[in-house]
Amino acid sequence: MIDILAVDKYNNLIKLDSIEGLQQGDYAWYWIDFNQPTDTEVIHLSESLHFHPLAIEDCLQQLQRAKLDYYDAFSFFIMYAIDPKDLSQQEHDFFLHEDYIVTFHKQPSRQVSQVWERLIKMQAKDIDNWGPYRIFYEISDKIVDHYFPLIYELEDQLNEVEDNPNEEAMSVLLDRLFDIRHQLLQLRHTINPMRDLFYRMLNSSHLTGLKERRAYFTDVYDHLLKLSEMVASNREIANDIRDNYLSLNSHQTNEVMKVLTIITSIFAPLTFIAGIYGMNFVNMPELEWEYGYFVVLGVMGVMAVVMYLWFKRKGWF
Amino acid sequence: MIDILAVDKYNNLIKLDSIEGLQQGDYAWYWIDFNQPTDTEVIHLSESLHFHPLAIEDCLQQLQRAKLDYYDAFSFFIMYAIDPKDLSQQEHDFFLHEDYIVTFHKQPSRQVSQVWERLIKMQAKDIDNWGPYRIFYEISDKIVDHYFPLIYELEDQLNEVEDNPNEEAMSVLLDRLFDIRHQLLQLRHTINPMRDLFYRMLNSSHLTGLKERRAYFTDVYDHLLKLSEMVASNREIANDIRDNYLSLNSHQTNEVMKVLTIITSIFAPLTFIAGIYGMNFVNMPELEWEYGYFVVLGVMGVMAVVMYLWFKRKGWF
Amino acid sequence: MIDILAVDKYNNLIKLDSIEGLQQGDYAWYWIDFNQPTDTEVIHLSESLHFHPLAIEDCLQQLQRAKLDYYDAFSFFIMYAIDPKDLSQQEHDFFLHEDYIVTFHKQPSRQVSQVWERLIKMQAKDIDNWGPYRIFYEISDKIVDHYFPLIYELEDQLNEVEDNPNEEAMSVLLDRLFDIRHQLLQLRHTINPMRDLFYRMLNSSHLTGLKERRAYFTDVYDHLLKLSEMVASNREIANDIRDNYLSLNSHQTNEVMKVLTIITSIFAPLTFIAGIYGMNFVNMPELEWEYGYFVVLGVMGVMAVVMYLWFKRKGWF
Amino acid sequence: MIDILAVDKYNNLIKLDSIEGLQQGDYAWYWIDFNQPTDTEVIHLSESLHFHPLAIEDCLQQLQRAKLDYYDAFSFFIMYAIDPKDLSQQEHDFFLHEDYIVTFHKQPSRQVSQVWERLIKMQAKDIDNWGPYRIFYEISDKIVDHYFPLIYELEDQLNEVEDNPNEEAMSVLLDRLFDIRHQLLQLRHTINPMRDLFYRMLNSSHLTGLKERRAYFTDVYDHLLKLSEMVASNREIANDIRDNYLSLNSHQTNEVMKVLTIITSIFAPLTFIAGIYGMNFVNMPELEWEYGYFVVLGVMGVMAVVMYLWFKRKGWF
Amino acid sequence: MIDILAVDKYNNLIKLDSIEGLQQGDYAWYWIDFNQPTDTEVIHLSESLHFHPLAIEDCLQQLQRAKLDYYDAFSFFIMYAIDPKDLSQQEHDFFLHEDYIVTFHKQPSRQVSQVWERLIKMQAKDIDNWGPYRIFYEISDKIVDHYFPLIYELEDQLNEVEDNPNEEAMSVLLDRLFDIRHQLLQLRHTINPMRDLFYRMLNSSHLTGLKERRAYFTDVYDHLLKLSEMVASNREIANDIRDNYLSLNSHQTNEVMKVLTIITSIFAPLTFIAGIYGMNFVNMPELEWEYGYFVVLGVMGVMAVVMYLWFKRKGWF
Ligand SMILES: [Mg+2]
Ligand SMILES: [Mg+2]
Ligand SMILES: [Mg+2]
Ligand SMILES: [Mg+2]
Ligand SMILES: [Mg+2]
Ligand SMILES: [Mg+2]
Ligand SMILES: [Mg+2]
Ligand SMILES: [Mg+2]
Ligand SMILES: [Mg+2]
Ligand SMILES: [Mg+2]
Ligand SMILES: [Mg+2]
Ligand SMILES: [Mg+2]
Ligand SMILES: [Mg+2]
Ligand SMILES: [Mg+2]
Ligand SMILES: [Mg+2]
Ligand SMILES: [Mg+2]
Ligand SMILES: [Mg+2]
Ligand SMILES: [Mg+2]
Ligand SMILES: [Mg+2]
Ligand SMILES: [Mg+2]
Ligand SMILES: [Mg+2]
Ligand SMILES: [Mg+2]
Ligand SMILES: [Mg+2]
Ligand SMILES: [Mg+2]
Ligand SMILES: [Mg+2]
Ligand SMILES: [Mg+2]
Ligand SMILES: [Mg+2]
Ligand SMILES: [Mg+2]
Ligand SMILES: [Mg+2]
Ligand SMILES: [Mg+2]
Ligand SMILES: [Mg+2]
């Protein structure tokens, strides 16, 4: 679907049906939204709008990395929203010019819809403050604001793994930890290039329309800085938790080994002695002694106590 | 609560009741402190003081990252004190201008109170050295100075974990180590952005009022540099201690295993032999031999000694 | 083999048999391809084309690192394609000038062949858009595009190792993981110097012919940036998977140890008691008791249950 | 103690008793050394010499990080010598000006004493080459030269841990390794800020007196670069040694485990069989067979050999 | 030994016996080689050649870090060849000037000898292309070229450790791996400062004589870049191999543990039961049953099979 909004010099908002309609009127600026375009609609990018073939190629291809290119006639941006369901990337392409903005997205876009809805309900006097750069800011601000709940969700999961309120087995926790780390990596691959993109924007001399709204784009950049730090720090905390589990595990193995060794060390010799006097030799003088049995029991008891004290002194328990 | 101090051109300090009062007098400079402001008081930021909406948004929102923004009329700072009880961040916002400073904090602030108390007790001649930048310096200096005892406390805990004077179990120590590392991470998230903020301040061309007090702000920056190094180095020491525990643990497991294996290796064959002669076959010639029992005891003794020497030669104990 | 294509000022494409033929005609530009050259053919680089000895040395030597050198008369590039069969590097050397391009490769080159085939099928009017820099771009674009399937293949292998659909043994998986990490390292050694090479190209003031096609070379650079990030991130994921396997392994060792210790702890004392009453002393009063056997069986049962409950309470299973 | 040396324009060296004496004479330059000053002597820094309060604060405070501050009238340096006994830091403060140098140290200073002794024994004609910057260079050169033996000592200890000539237990070695790593960390905290300080000095436009002795200060900087590399590389070697110990330990645990498992696997079934024929059932036909005992012995022998060969084929020993 | 070669303006090569001889002739340029100089010969550096004392100090001292210093009259370089026998550093010092080069080395130098031999065999017309900078280039090129075989050798050793063709024990392999990592570290300490030195040279404005041979020095720099990458990547591969060994080791420990636990779990209860019926109580009714023995044998068989199936279902083998 291709949606078109045009604004005339009296700040009236006009909805158009086709790109050709734009040439006929006399408009201050306009916004074309390629919303899940069909293959025939995509052709308008080159045929009607005459964008550079490399920019169109970037629209259609999946490179998965935010970017900014300056062409003679316009600036071209790729940004990525993140789908909260599966953390997949939702590409948003922008062709930005003083007099127009073209947005392009193959999936439905919450962010674009919200801005579109807000704009079409607006009064002519409020529309005076709007334009292609304002629309570009509003959409990118929404894209970035929507990253936060995703990280908060992962932080909560991390806290749950750390505190383990449901007493889950260590193997389950390690598996969840691994998934959290994986998702943090995915977020980083979206957020860090977005951050670098905004840094380039803020330090660019090409984007004249951005200057008067600099404070606004800086605000988005601050959020991206914070997001990027949150991802890095949560990965570090996830590493800490894993190392802690491993430490405790290795410590526990040690404790279990000690129990095993103590048990074995006490009973192996005792069982051996019992085995001795269970032998059937005809000539075993001790067997005939009246108190032989009690002497052996006594010796066994002494051995057990000595062993016990020896391990105790070695600090094994 | 909104507290207001104004200074007239004769260096007299006047306490005002409302922001409106400032327009009526003729003041050299003034300080407005939003101390745990109510929602109605917050409205003064936009209605009476006409600050930029993005700066006000930053005041009200929780971004948790020190920052500095230049607006046309003023500079805007966010700094974070740390609550010694739980290491939580206490946001302090500053609207700074040659002629005024506005401080904003949602919790009570020790740092702001101390400076406020000092100022209101001051003589007119001393007030000559004061002004918005001086107040800004004094508060931020206090915020940073209060970081030190927190790190010293963690260093002490780290030393205690290393020396283990109370002979606590390794699992307890590893747990405390994990908590210390976590807290160092939290401190780093406050301190490093503060350090970067002061670096930007010192290298900024916007902050003219800072130039004459450059040496003072550099002093704060030095402390932040040192703090940031202390955090990094303590994390490294914490890692070293953990790795050391793990090494010792893995070494100890090895030692325990050797004891177990020696015991088993000596008694398993002996017990087996005793078992042989405990069998009830009718035709077992050795059982009839007069000295059969003593021969078997002798063989067992020799086997035990050989085993013992073999493990000794392998260097197992 | 030395293949030569020359273009005259009417955009006619002429195939020549020898380098000497170039001096005789009047050509707008030409392309010489040294395709698996013989030792006698290599001599043309110095004798006929008079290239700088260091550039020729770099052609013949194996340094295995993409590079760019500016000589007075021409620019010299080394790029590396990767053989999909064994990830070995296939060196491509370029001598680039406004009026000519010389390509040199010791193995057959898919990338060069594809561009060559496309060019010789072309109409005179299309050839107008071509020239040495265009040929250079087309070959390098193909070289870089061919990296992607190699990384996708490794990503698929990594997913297979992570999900382990064929339930292979951990030792097999660890071995495959090690190979994947090794191959990622090999790719990085090709891709990162290529990326740095394109960065230098784009920021160079020497390459005037590159300016009008800047957007095209930037497009290749973007791909190299993405590739380099993919390699880094896949190495990180491979590390995560290995750490996860190790964690699970160490956890499993712990579980196995517990089973062993429980079994041993329950049966060692029981077997010892049975051993006691298997001794053949003549005076062992318990043996004569009518219910001695049943009392001992009862005691054994109680001991087993107590042990079981004790381990249960310790949370061992 | 406050020691004062002044040099007049004829290069005569005069020892003065008090700072006040300096105002009375006409001196080319002078050196004041605050050697373990009392609290009353410290007051001279502000009262007589009128240094900036922040510089004086830095003198008295313990920040433990080398630094350089430019004040209007002088440059202020903090450097740290290291006490060879316990690697503690010995702060040296310098107030440096074209016409004077003030040194300040709370402990006795070997480095200052050596330079002082050398200077007071000097002839007037040699004193011509001296001045505040020369004294500053000589002391800092000595401070840095004294770092080397400390690192060489740690390197020797590291080699001893690696070669283990006295066959000490692994736990002792790991403990010593941990201490060495700790001390390397301490050295790094002194050396790296010193290195950064000299880098700043060499690239500063403020220190005009340094220019004519640039080669000398560069020489000190080279030593600091080398020292900083030595520390980093020794920490890396220490890590390598620890990882090697852990690898060998884990390998050894594995070997011990195999011995245990082989012994158990061979004797557990044999002992079980002996136990079978030790049972006292009245009807056990095998017991009556004439060669039953020898058959069972034979079966046991075969089982032991088969087990042995099976473990051998699995490559367990 | 001090060897001297001088070239007059007709490109004749003259061998001189003493440094004093140089003043008497009229030479275009000359080369003095201090080859393992005696203490008396060393004095010529200051007495006859009047080099800066800091440069002479650097010659005589062992700092072990490549460096470049600009003095007024000359440039001073320290480079390190590596002895293939023990990877020890062989210091080469260069005093370089448009009109002379002085080389200084305390050990015999293959690199210097090779260049010397080549030069003295040369015709006058070839000598026209030579001069101090050419000699400096030729020696440093040789020093760097000789690094390659050392790394190739370590790479081969690494491959051998990885493939383990002689089936050596893991402990032996880990030990060799440790040595390889150690040697890579040593190489890095020589190569990286050499690389940084050439980078500084190529970006220096002082070395005018270098400009006309820039391509040659860039070629050496490329080799150093490649070498430095090879060292880094081989250390990474060595880490991968070690981690792989450890993973396999830990996995193997786990497998061994399972065998032990299965054996113990099957035979401990069986042996206990046999022990029960080996007891000598007078009243044990089962012993009198006609088929008691066979029932017990049957129960034991069932227990063994159940245990076996249980471990099988748990996936233990
Ligand atoms: Mg593209
Ligand atoms: Mg796309
Ligand atoms: Mg936002
Ligand atoms: Mg916002
Ligand atoms: Mg991951
Ligand atoms: Mg780690
Ligand atoms: Mg904001
Ligand atoms: Mg806020
Ligand atoms: Mg302070
Ligand atoms: Mg202070
Ligand atoms: Mg943590
Ligand atoms: Mg200070
Ligand atoms: Mg410590
Ligand atoms: Mg080369
Ligand atoms: Mg080549
Ligand atoms: Mg491409
Ligand atoms: Mg393409
Ligand atoms: Mg690898
Ligand atoms: Mg994964
Ligand atoms: Mg101090
Ligand atoms: Mg020195
Ligand atoms: Mg010196
Ligand atoms: Mg340490
Ligand atoms: Mg070593
Ligand atoms: Mg590691
Ligand atoms: Mg030196
Ligand atoms: Mg030397
Ligand atoms: Mg070379
Ligand atoms: Mg060469
Ligand atoms: Mg090493
Ligand atoms: Mg390998």
Side-chain angles (χ1 to χ4, degrees), chain A residues 38-98:
Chain A
T38 62
D39 286 358
T40 17
E41 287 169 348
V42 159
I43 292 170
H44 282 293
L45 289 176
S46 49
E47 299 296 298
S48 315
L49 297 165
H50 308 290
F51 290 134
H52 193 285
L54 283 169
I56 296 172
E57 192 193 75
D58 279 348
C59 263
L60 304 177
Q61 227 183 8
Q62 300 285 337
L63 188 65
Q64 301 179 308
R65 195 178 185 281
K67 66 177 286 190
L68 157 57
D69 280 331
Y70 304 114
Y71 292 98
D72 291 342
F74 61 94
S75 301
F76 175 72
F77 296 81
I78 307 182
M79 296 193 175
Y80 290 92
I82 303 182
D83 185 338
K85 283 193 293 295
D86 59 0
L87 300 193
S88 66
Q89 289 185 316
Q90 300 176 319
E91 183 170 333
H92 289 70
D93 306 295
F94 301 86
F95 300 80
L96 186 61
H97 182 270
E98 294 283 309

Side-chain angles (χ1 to χ4, degrees), chain A residues 54 63-65 67 178 181 188-189 235 242 249 253 256-257 270 274 277-280 287 290 293, chain C residues 162 215 222 226 229 233 236-237 240 243 250-251 254 257 261 272 278-284 286:
Chain A
L54 283 169
L63 188 65
Q64 301 179 308
R65 195 178 185 281
K67 66 177 286 190
F178 179 72
R181 301 188 75 225
R188 194 179 72 187
H189 290 151
R235 268 192 67 88
R242 191 198 56 205
N249 200 52
T253 298
V256 171
M257 283 295 312
L270 300 185
Y277 293 107
M279 293 193 296
N280 299 319
L287 295 181
E290 178 145 17
Y293 172 52
Chain C
E162 195 186 338
D222 280 339
K226 180 68 192 173
E229 273 179 15
S233 128
E236 217 165 327
I237 291 171
D240 273 22
D243 289 351
S250 143
H251 172 70
N254 195 279
M257 285 294 312
T261 303
F272 166 64
M279 293 192 296
N280 299 320
F281 285 97
V282 292
N283 178 20
M284 289 177 70
E286 302 95 314

Side-chain angles (χ1 to χ4, degrees), chain A residues 222 240 250 254 280 286, chain B residues 67 181 249 253 257 277 293:
Chain A
D222 280 339
D240 273 22
S250 142
N254 196 278
N280 299 319
E286 301 95 313
Chain B
K67 64 177 288 189
R181 302 189 72 226
N249 199 52
T253 298
M257 284 295 312
Y277 294 107
Y293 172 53

